[in-house]
Amino acid sequence: MISPLMPNYARSELAFERGEGSWLVTADGRRVLDFGSGIAVNSLGHAHPHLVEVLTEQAKKLWHVSNLHQVPDGDRLARRLVDATFADSVLFCNSGAEANEGAIKMARKYHAVRGEENRFRIITFEGAFHGRTLATIAAGGQKKYLEGFGPKVEGFDQVPFGDHEALEAMIGPDTAALMIEPIQGEGGLRVVSNEELRYLRELCDKHGLLLILDEVQSGVGRTGKLFAHEWAGIEPDIMSIAKGIGGGFPLGAVLAVEKCAANFTPGTHGTTFGGNPLAMAVGNAVLDIVLAPGFLDDVQRKSLLLKQKLASVADRHPKIFDEVRGFGLLTGLHCVVANTEVAAELRKENLLSVPAGDNALRLIPPLTVTDEEIGLAVDRLETAARHLEAGLVRGAAE
Ligand SMILES: *Cc1c(COP(=O)(O)O)cnc(C)c1O
């Protein structure tokens, strides 16, 4: 018989009761080091005192009023995001997929108001992940997510990752935008180089296309800058964010330049829960920490530390890992054995990771992770690799 919870997730055996920083604790007291962060969501770890305080204070005052009324904390959060980024204006929503839906609609609207209704096609890249709604699975273009859900939403063209010839050939009079993740998270920790991002920006300018960056996973400090594209010195026209900005509270946003955002006039787009006072309070609290002087510098330093340690683990265990991947604290390893098997072995060592596409394994600790915790995680990775190797030897002997 079916479980009351729908069977659409392959969950681990673990159930946690509480969290403290980089740690999760089960009801019977087992402490697990969290290098998964709820898939890059718990950017400041679990139960961060500032977030807890802000959320509980807000919870006593006001949760939701809808977008029929002013939400002063939303104005403030939008202002802070505008001040810190390329954007001129911000739209709040509740998830990454919803942010991407907003970004896609905004790109189409931009051309439509200029009398080019037919210019609605968006070029995306193989291995992309943009969410699970009908439009975002069409944007992601992955067969396993599209199958069985009827006709693919029209208007998405996909090209191979890094193939300039295919990309330029795909651009036509109906092309509205390019949409890309600066680092493919779900797709297997594939990093778009700074040169590549600059090339994409130039290509968009040349053809009058909008550049949409999906920073749902790579944003909000993950790479040691507020947003990953800053490393390339370019600016998108539209950017979707979610995951880390809420620190565990459901929150997404579309950031855009004025020429795009200005077309979202009253009645064009909306969401009931988007930007509610609880979410806005938490979003502001996350920025209080992430934008504090020195915070992102420290993320950069810790990223290098983790990367160096991962490289030495990969060197010592070539039968298990063959490459360090990713950038910043959105990092991990490409596995030789099945990534899910490695993740299961790591759970036995009380370390959480997140499998990704292309047999990669993500290590995405909270941005607040300590040097000691990085050392501990790598020790556990080392132990798991040794166990997996012993298993390979046993398997060969049988
Ligand atoms: C997680 C993710 C999404 C989807 O976010 P949801 O909140 O699950 O809808 C979209 N894009 C990227 C890059 C992601 O990592």
Side-chain angles (χ1 to χ4, degrees):
M1 210 170 51
I2 194 168
S3 62
L5 260 182
M6 282 199 196
N8 59 317
Y9 300 112
R11 299 173 191 272
S12 85
E13 65 291 353
L14 296 169
F16 299 107
E17 189 186 56
R18 62 197 165 85
E20 303 157 357
S22 307
W23 296 86
L24 283 164
V25 188
T26 62
D28 56 8
R30 181 173 162 195
R31 291 173 63 82
V32 177
L33 186 53
D34 186 7
F35 270 48
S37 302
I39 319 185
V41 166
N42 299 102
S43 44
L44 303 180
H46 301 280
H48 190 288
H50 183 57
L51 269 56
V52 171
E53 191 194 328
V54 167
L55 181 68
T56 47
E57 281 311 304
Q58 185 60 45
K60 290 178 207 160
K61 289 193 285 189
L62 189 63
W63 294 15
H64 178 85
V65 295
S66 86
N67 289 303
L68 295 171
H69 308 288
Q70 302 290 324
V71 179
D73 273 352
D75 291 295
R76 179 161 174 258
L77 182 54
R79 162 58 57 199
R80 294 173 83 187
L81 287 168
V82 163
D83 286 346
T85 68
F86 73 96
D88 299 314
S89 198
V90 181
L91 167 87
F92 292 110
C93 58
N94 310 283
S95 71
E98 200 189 356
N100 280 329
E101 287 273 342
I104 291 163
K105 287 177 71 178
M106 191 176 283
R108 289 180 172 190
K109 194 78 170 177
Y110 170 83
H111 294 289
V113 300
R114 281 160 182 75
E116 293 193 278
E117 263 103 358
N118 286 336
R119 199 167 178 186
F120 65 88
R121 306 196 70 84
I122 294 176
I123 297 176
T124 66
F125 297 81
E126 260 172 29
F129 181 82
H130 298 299
R132 301 296 200 101
T133 60
L134 287 169
T136 56
I137 56 175
Q142 296 202 39
K143 205 163 161 244
K144 62 178 174 181
Y145 298 138
L146 284 160
E147 241 162 29
F149 297 117
K152 184 173 160 235
V153 169
E154 181 59 4
F156 297 95
D157 299 310
Q158 195 156 73
V159 296
F161 198 79
D163 184 339
H164 292 185
E165 213 175 306
L167 171 57
E168 291 183 32
M170 189 63 88
I171 297 171
D174 294 346
T175 307
L178 307 185
M179 180 166 176
I180 192 166
E181 302 148 83
I183 301 169
Q184 285 188 347
E186 307 297 316
L189 293 171
R190 289 199 291 180
V191 181
V192 181
S193 71
N194 292 338
E195 300 76 64
E196 183 75 9
L197 280 175
R198 288 194 282 265
Y199 157 75
L200 294 176
R201 177 69 269 178
E202 279 170 27
L203 196 64
C204 284
D205 292 341
K206 183 172 154 201
H207 294 276
L209 310 179
L210 299 171
L211 180 61
I212 306 173
L213 292 183
D214 178 345
E215 291 234 27
V216 168
Q217 192 154 164
S218 58
V220 195
R222 256 297 128 208
T223 64
K225 295 217 184 262
L226 190 56
F227 293 103
H229 68 265
E230 293 170 29
W231 288 101
I234 60 139
E235 296 186 339
D237 300 292
I238 304 174
M239 176 171 75
S240 52
I241 71 172
K243 295 203 165 100
I245 185 67
F249 196 91
L251 172 57
V254 185
L255 283 67
V257 296
E258 183 168 6
K259 68 177 182 181
C260 296
N263 307 310
F264 268 19
T265 51
T268 49
H269 185 70
T271 168
T272 302
F273 293 124
N276 83 28
L278 277 180
M280 296 300 92
V282 178
N284 274 305
V286 168
L287 285 192
D288 290 343
I289 307 287
V290 172
L291 294 179
F295 184 87
L296 290 172
D297 293 334
D298 203 42
V299 171
Q300 291 180 23
R301 188 189 58 76
K302 291 184 288 194
S303 301
L304 283 177
L305 179 69
L306 178 57
K307 187 173 193 157
Q308 283 162 357
K309 287 180 182 281
L310 289 180
S312 76
V313 173
D315 279 349
R316 280 196 297 277
H317 302 282
K319 292 198 175 79
I320 311 298
F321 304 116
D322 61 0
E323 194 188 349
V324 179
R325 286 214 183 162
F327 185 60
L329 290 180
L330 176 48
T331 183
L333 295 152
H334 182 261
C335 303
V336 181
V337 297
N339 57 357
T340 48
E341 205 184 314
V342 181
E345 192 64 38
L346 289 174
R347 280 200 300 281
K348 289 188 204 160
E349 300 303 321
N350 291 323
L351 176 66
L352 296 187
S353 59
V354 187
D358 197 27
N359 210 33
L361 187 77
R362 275 172 286 182
L363 295 166
I364 30 184
L367 307 181
T368 48
V369 69
T370 65
D371 292 11
E372 292 70 32
E373 288 163 348
I374 288 172
L376 197 54
V378 173
D379 290 346
R380 291 177 180 191
L381 195 63
E382 179 80 38
T383 307
R386 270 193 264 114
H387 290 167
L388 288 164
E389 271 164 3
L392 290 178
V393 172
R394 269 200 308 281
E398 275 164 15

